[in-house]
């Protein structure tokens, strides 16, 4: 049995995929770099990601690009927000004053190939503090719901989803508390970052931005502002592809699945590829960690002696990690996984549909309290042990799987069980899952499928 641990996947990608990505980037940069003014070098902005993997990736790319071009490599330092910093005013202040110190070693490391500072998330400017603080306070006071928050733009940049997901991750909380002062702080930080990012990209006009993710404020805002000014952006943080070139229509963290089906039709060796895909899927079902999901601590198909309740004819609601970024895929019709879970439970209860709830097998510990809160809200809720495998559920006679955009959709399809989703997802162009585009359609699909 092969174990697809994260470090092994990173080594494989670095050894075999990185050279091809570097070659492609060299060609792309040569063809698309902006014409610099006389006596000025081309500029590349590099995010100072605080881990050795991205440090090595960015260093290798920059070194390769410098062989054929005269480049100025500048740093974008994203350090600002910290998980749990809103617990107390003292913890908040400690983080504020310690952030520059904690990030200093990484700044020095990146100086080896990016010796110039572009800009920081936390740049101090008293007038900007006052102006953006006043604007943020006005926006904060006018918020009536999470729907208002999610539709928020600032100076032409869409930031609502980034604020929403940043709050969930860094508060941390399974849902946004619309009158929480920490939400005001995040809104304020987002406005500041939009302003500082715009100022940088207008003044410097870099030819390229290399960044790890495009989720949360510290990643997403610089990426979206760069795209706003037609600066090429490449991310290196998703598990579906080594590098992704973003564009103004697709600035999401995950690989765009819209062309999976049509692209596959162009391949000449379909049978071989299908056979290979089936081999990977069978390995996953046998209990291995799929290399596409190497971040998972354990497989959802690990052999278990757990007793399966009577699930004949039942729907299974497959929960997500409530603290993960819900908007890594677009077109999600709910603001967070808590809202989706409660809406789904209410809908199933109202229509007297038999169902069970299955927690995510690799959720962080904070989710334990969320499950307790769900049980308190719905005393008759039936949870399945996360150790029960999906294969056991299929053998038990489940009728349908419900997910937002999980891989469980194609796993259950392999066993002949259909699923219901409510965001863009890797299976969106296939008919083994029904994808709702609105809450009204979501309700109709669930009722009709039963």
């Amino acid at each position: 049995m092969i174990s697809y641990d994260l470090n092994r996947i990173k080594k494989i990608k670095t050894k075999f995929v990185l050279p091809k990505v570097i070659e492609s980037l060299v060609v792309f940069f040569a063809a698309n770099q902006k014409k610099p003014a006389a006596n000025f070098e081309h500029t590349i902005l590099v995010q100072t990601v605080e881990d050795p993997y991205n440090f090595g990736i960015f260093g290798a790319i920059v070194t390769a690009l410098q062989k054929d071009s005269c480049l100025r490599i500048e740093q974008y330092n994203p350090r600002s927000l910290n998980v749990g910093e809103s617990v107390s005013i003292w913890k908040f202040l400690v983080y504020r004053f310690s952030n520059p110190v904690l990030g200093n070693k990484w700044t020095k490391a990146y100086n080896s190939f990016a010796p110039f500072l572009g800009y920081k998330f936390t740049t101090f400017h008293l007038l900007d503090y006052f102006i953006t603080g006043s604007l943020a306070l006005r926006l904060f006071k006018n918020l009536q719901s999470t729907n208002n928050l999610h539709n928020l733009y600032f100076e032409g940049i869409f930031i609502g989803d980034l604020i929403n997901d940043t709050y969930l991750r860094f508060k941390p909380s399974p849902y946004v508390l619309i009158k929480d002062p920490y939400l005001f702080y995040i809104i304020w930080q987002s406005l500041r970052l939009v302003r500082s990012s715009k100022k940088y990209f207008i003044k410097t006009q870099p030819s390229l931005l290399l960044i790890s993710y495009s989720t949360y404020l510290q990643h997403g805002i610089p990426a979206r502002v760069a795209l706003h000014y037609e600066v090429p952006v490449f991310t290196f943080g998703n598990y579906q592809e080594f590098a992704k070139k973003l564009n103004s229509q697709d600035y999401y963290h995950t690989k765009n699945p819209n062309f999976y089906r049509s692209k596959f039709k162009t391949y000449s060796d379909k049978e071989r590829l299908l056979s290979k895909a089936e081999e990977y899927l069978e390995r996953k079902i046998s209990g291995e960690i799929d290399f596409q999901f190497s971040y998972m601590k354990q497989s959802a198909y690990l052999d278990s002696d757990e007793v399966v309740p009577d699930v004949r004819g039942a729907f299974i609601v497959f929960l997500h990690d409530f603290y993960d970024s819900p908007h890594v895929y677009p077109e999600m019709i709910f603001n967070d996984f808590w809202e989706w879970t409660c809406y789904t439970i209410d809908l199933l209860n109202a229509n007297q549909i038999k169902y069970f709830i299955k927690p995510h097998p690799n959720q962080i510990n904070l989710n334990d309290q969320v499950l307790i809160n769900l049980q308190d809200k719905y005393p008759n809720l039936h949870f399945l042990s996360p150790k029960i495998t999906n294969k056991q559920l299929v053998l038990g006679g489940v009728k349908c799987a419900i997910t937002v955009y999980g891989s469980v959709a194609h796993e259950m399809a392999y066993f002949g069980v259909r699923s219901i989703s409510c965001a863009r997802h890797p299976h969106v162009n296939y008919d083994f899952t029904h994808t709702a585009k609105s809450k009204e359609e979501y309700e109709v699909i669930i009722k009709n499928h039963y």
Side-chain angles (χ1 to χ4, degrees):
M1 180 180 293
I2 301 173
S3 177
Y4 289 105
D5 65 89
L6 181 57
N7 289 330
R8 181 174 181 273
I9 297 304
K10 285 182 175 180
K11 289 178 181 178
I12 291 173
K13 285 184 174 181
T14 303
K15 182 176 181 180
F16 297 105
V17 184
L18 178 58
K20 295 180 180 179
V21 172
I22 290 176
E23 182 180 353
S24 299
L25 276 172
V26 169
V27 173
F28 173 84
F29 183 75
N32 292 275
Q33 58 184 327
K34 296 178 180 179
K35 199 72 175 177
N39 302 322
F40 284 87
E41 302 167 304
H42 293 286
T43 299
I44 294 179
L45 183 63
V46 175
Q47 179 190 15
T48 54
V49 189
E50 297 181 1
D51 70 65
Y53 175 67
N54 283 284
F55 172 78
I57 295 295
F58 292 167
I61 291 172
V62 166
T63 301
L65 292 175
Q66 285 179 317
K67 291 180 180 179
D68 300 312
S69 303
C70 185
L71 304 176
R72 178 184 173 92
I73 314 300
E74 297 187 347
Q75 297 184 23
Y76 159 61
N77 189 328
R79 174 174 278 275
S80 176
L81 303 171
N82 301 273
V83 175
E85 64 185 4
S86 69
V87 171
S88 70
I89 185 62
W90 299 113
K91 190 170 185 178
F92 181 82
L93 291 174
V94 166
Y95 274 125
R96 297 281 72 75
F97 287 108
S98 63
N99 268 336
V101 177
L102 295 172
N104 191 47
K105 64 179 181 180
W106 284 103
T107 299
K108 291 181 178 179
Y110 277 87
N111 280 338
S112 61
F113 61 84
F116 303 101
L117 176 64
Y119 72 111
K120 298 180 179 180
F121 190 146
T122 53
T123 301
F124 177 79
H125 192 289
L126 186 59
L127 181 59
D128 178 67
Y129 268 34
F130 177 77
I131 294 173
T132 54
S134 300
L135 291 171
L137 185 59
R138 188 187 312 162
L139 289 171
F140 177 68
K141 286 184 175 180
N142 289 333
L143 287 177
Q144 300 300 318
S145 68
T146 48
N147 289 332
N148 296 146
L149 174 65
H150 190 266
N151 293 323
L152 192 62
Y153 280 77
F154 181 63
E155 296 187 352
I157 307 299
F158 177 44
I159 58 174
D161 61 330
L162 297 175
I163 293 172
N164 183 91
D165 292 11
T166 300
Y167 181 92
L168 301 181
R169 176 72 180 88
F170 290 89
K171 173 70 181 176
S173 173
Y175 46 80
V176 173
L177 298 170
I178 206 70
K179 296 303 179 183
D180 184 356
Y182 188 61
L183 177 60
F184 159 72
Y185 177 74
I186 292 177
I187 293 173
W188 178 36
Q189 294 301 299
S190 70
L191 303 193
R192 289 182 57 215
L193 187 54
V194 169
R195 284 270 178 96
S196 60
S197 297
K198 280 193 164 188
K199 182 178 179 181
Y200 172 81
F201 284 102
I202 291 172
K203 179 182 178 180
T204 306
Q205 298 181 22
S207 299
L208 185 65
L209 170 60
L210 301 178
I211 199 164
S212 55
Y213 301 99
S214 58
T215 53
Y216 308 119
L217 299 186
Q218 55 269 54
H219 316 294
I221 287 179
R224 293 181 188 184
V225 172
L227 294 171
H228 181 77
Y229 291 108
E230 300 182 345
V231 175
V233 180
F234 285 85
T235 61
F236 295 81
N238 78 51
Y239 290 89
Q240 299 151 317
E241 56 193 333
F242 186 79
K244 177 179 179 179
K245 183 179 183 296
L246 306 186
N247 60 62
S248 57
Q249 284 74 48
D250 179 21
Y251 42 70
Y252 293 93
H253 169 68
T254 46
K255 187 174 182 178
N256 188 338
N258 286 348
F259 308 103
Y260 282 0
R261 189 169 190 173
S262 59
K263 188 174 182 180
F264 183 76
K265 290 180 179 179
T266 66
Y267 295 148
S268 59
D269 54 346
K270 296 183 184 65
E271 292 302 320
R272 183 187 68 82
L273 293 172
L274 286 171
S275 177
K276 194 70 173 178
E278 186 173 11
E279 177 187 341
Y280 280 128
L281 188 53
E282 286 180 345
R283 285 180 179 177
K284 184 175 183 179
I285 292 169
S286 70
E288 295 182 17
I289 298 294
D290 183 351
F291 72 92
Q292 294 282 358
F293 301 92
S294 53
Y295 54 84
M296 296 183 72
K297 293 176 290 186
Q298 68 180 43
S299 169
Y301 293 93
L302 201 63
D303 287 341
S304 169
D305 294 327
E306 293 285 330
V307 177
V308 181
D310 181 10
V311 295
R312 287 174 296 178
F315 283 36
I316 308 297
V317 181
F318 289 88
L319 298 184
H320 298 258
D321 188 324
F322 288 91
Y323 299 92
D324 204 358
S325 172
H327 295 98
V328 291
Y329 284 105
E331 301 170 18
M332 181 175 172
I333 63 178
F334 297 95
N335 292 311
D336 50 60
F337 294 129
W338 173 266
E339 182 189 357
W340 164 73
T341 303
C342 293
Y343 190 96
T344 303
I345 291 172
D346 289 337
L347 183 58
L348 294 170
N349 285 340
N351 290 277
Q352 299 182 333
I353 297 174
K354 181 180 179 180
Y355 69 96
F356 292 85
I357 305 292
K358 187 181 181 189
H360 195 283
N362 290 278
Q363 63 189 20
I364 62 174
N365 293 334
L366 286 171
N367 285 274
D368 294 340
Q369 183 59 50
V370 182
L371 300 184
I372 293 173
N373 295 343
L374 270 178
Q375 191 75 73
D376 291 340
K377 184 177 176 67
Y378 302 99
N380 297 322
L381 210 57
H382 297 293
F383 283 102
L384 294 171
S385 167
K387 295 181 180 180
I388 294 176
T389 70
N390 296 342
K391 186 175 182 179
Q392 287 176 288
L393 294 175
V394 171
L395 293 175
V398 299
K399 182 178 182 65
C400 180
I402 304 179
T403 179
V404 176
Y405 46 58
S407 63
V408 69
H410 73 255
E411 295 162 15
M412 298 301 273
Y414 185 73
F415 294 116
V417 176
R418 289 184 176 273
S419 58
I420 298 171
S421 309
C422 51
R424 189 192 297 177
H425 51 84
H427 329 94
V428 70
N429 290 320
Y430 296 88
D431 59 7
F432 55 76
T433 182
H434 301 278
T435 305
K437 300 297 184 182
S438 66
K439 291 180 181 179
E440 293 75 19
E441 186 180 2
Y442 185 65
E443 183 174 349
V444 169
I445 290 174
I446 288 180
K447 286 180 179 179
N448 290 345
H449 202 76
Y450 192 69

